[in-house]
Amino acid sequence: MVGIRKCLFPAAGYGTRFLPATKAIPKEMLPILNKPLIQYGVEEAIEAGMDTMAIITGRGKRAIEDHFDISYELEHQIRGTSKESLLHDIRNLVEHYTFTYTRQKEMKGLGHAVLVGERLIGNEPFGVVLADDLCEGEGKGVLAQMVELFEKFRCSIVAVMEVEPDEVSKYGVVAGKELEDGIYVVSDMVEKPDPEEAPTNLAVIGRYILTPDIFEILRRTEPGVGGEIQLTDALKTQAQEGMVLAYKFRGKRFDCGSVDGFVEATNYFYHKFKD
Ligand code: G1P
């Protein structure tokens, strides 16, 4: 069986929560230790068996393309020195995997960003990684866990975790019936609900496996919360017309789109590195 080959990275957002750092640098390029957030995401996708990265960029995001490319001058400069090993991993990614790009010209939401990626993905199931959610799976990566589940159920899957009830308004929230331990058949999804209106405290984090009929659904999805086309709303339609699973992943997730989460991730990976 052919696994999932492609992974979409919506990376056009402005990263306003990290200004001024993100004025000229894409937020996806902010490093945790010495590696940019998006590279962690790409490595997770590769571990899940994917070989083609479809990156949705926007104005001011060219550093991402340069990162996943050869830098002849730099490589020439450090060849034969002790620094050479620092480029080993990224050079390996650039040599063995495919990076494709398209620009989202207007910021109309995550659902819109995914739709912009339709041409890069085509008619096949695909992964989605929001790089500012940095995940470390237990045993295997979060996307790899989801691919395994996809092979059994062949439907869209969202990764979820329990959050404090007063935090639900930052997330897409799901409700559903537990099918197996930690796997739910989604019956409802709400983007950024008020805590009083949230159906549960199961929050979607930035890992998805989507079947390609999501594109057709996104095309008929009206703007929702914040006037944006929400992936959550399209997934709710997909759940009602077919089936969507929510999967409580095994592992950790850091919200690197917030300063607190970013610092937490930095400390966590620093201690791991030191050990
Ligand atoms: C997006 C999604 C939301 C999800 C979140 C995970 O929101 O719209 O459903 O829970 O990512 O990080 P954003 O953080 O882009 O506002």
Side-chain angles (χ1 to χ4, degrees):
M1 187 168 21
V2 182
I4 295 185
R5 301 186 305 145
K6 295 183 182 175
C7 191
L8 189 87
F9 294 79
Y14 297 124
T16 46
R17 281 193 287 174
F18 264 92
L19 283 170
T22 47
K23 192 171 171 221
I25 295 170
K27 67 171 171 172
E28 295 76 14
M29 290 300 296
L30 295 177
I32 298 296
L33 308 190
N34 59 351
K35 200 196 288 185
L37 281 168
I38 192 160
Q39 190 178 333
Y40 286 89
V42 167
E43 288 172 356
E44 187 184 325
I46 290 170
E47 192 219 334
M50 302 171 192
D51 63 9
T52 300
M53 311 302 144
I55 305 182
I56 311 302
T57 65
R59 283 182 289 281
K61 297 277 187 162
R62 268 159 51 184
I64 298 176
E65 287 165 65
D66 290 340
H67 185 68
F68 295 110
D69 196 356
I70 293 169
S71 169
Y72 285 107
E73 262 181 62
L74 182 64
E75 303 210 1
H76 175 76
Q77 196 73 34
I78 66 173
R79 187 162 303 138
T81 74
S82 60
K83 304 256 171 58
E84 206 174 355
S85 65
L86 292 174
L87 282 182
H88 179 265
D89 290 353
I90 181 69
R91 192 182 304 153
N92 184 45
L93 296 187
V94 172
E95 272 172 27
H96 296 104
Y97 299 92
T98 302
F99 292 83
T100 62
Y101 300 88
T102 193
R103 278 194 181 199
Q104 185 183 8
K105 294 172 201 90
E106 292 169 288
M107 299 302 118
K108 293 199 215 158
L110 178 59
H112 179 251
V114 171
L115 192 52
V116 165
E118 182 175 12
R119 283 290 180 94
L120 299 181
I121 299 295
N123 189 26
E124 57 185 281
F126 60 103
V128 176
V129 168
L130 307 185
D132 51 11
D133 277 339
L134 178 52
C135 291
E136 195 188 51
E138 214 177 276
K140 54 168 84 165
V142 175
L143 265 187
Q145 295 172 31
M146 294 171 78
V147 166
E148 201 175 274
L149 200 61
F150 177 81
E151 266 151 25
K152 196 164 154 201
F153 292 98
R154 317 294 297 176
C155 67
S156 290
I157 306 169
V158 299
V160 293
M161 64 184 252
E162 284 181 37
V163 298
E164 294 300 323
D166 61 341
E167 296 259 286
V168 288
S169 57
K170 292 188 195 161
Y171 299 96
V173 174
V174 307
K177 192 163 156 278
E178 198 160 13
L179 185 67
E180 290 172 24
D181 194 23
I183 302 170
Y184 304 80
V185 178
V186 174
S187 55
D188 195 14
M189 285 184 84
V190 196
E191 179 68 11
K192 310 215 165 73
D194 287 335
E196 313 79 67
E197 280 159 22
T200 66
N201 67 335
L202 280 178
V204 177
I205 60 113
R207 297 291 180 280
Y208 307 78
I209 302 286
L210 301 176
T211 53
D213 54 312
I214 198 73
F215 295 124
E216 175 271 317
I217 300 173
L218 279 166
R219 256 192 292 280
R220 56 180 157 98
T221 300
E222 298 287 332
V225 172
E228 297 185 334
I229 297 176
Q230 298 293 350
L231 180 58
T232 300
D233 295 343
L235 281 162
K236 178 179 170 174
T237 306
Q238 202 179 34
Q240 289 170 344
E241 293 177 357
M243 179 158 100
V244 172
L245 292 179
Y247 169 60
K248 220 194 253 179
F249 65 95
R250 298 185 309 274
K252 289 181 186 303
R253 170 261 185 182
F254 300 94
D255 173 15
C256 293
S258 77
V259 174
D260 287 339
F262 192 89
V263 172
E264 210 185 306
T266 302
N267 287 329
Y268 175 81
F269 284 97
Y270 180 69
H271 286 296
K272 210 176 132 172
F273 163 78
K274 278 288 184 194
D275 292 345

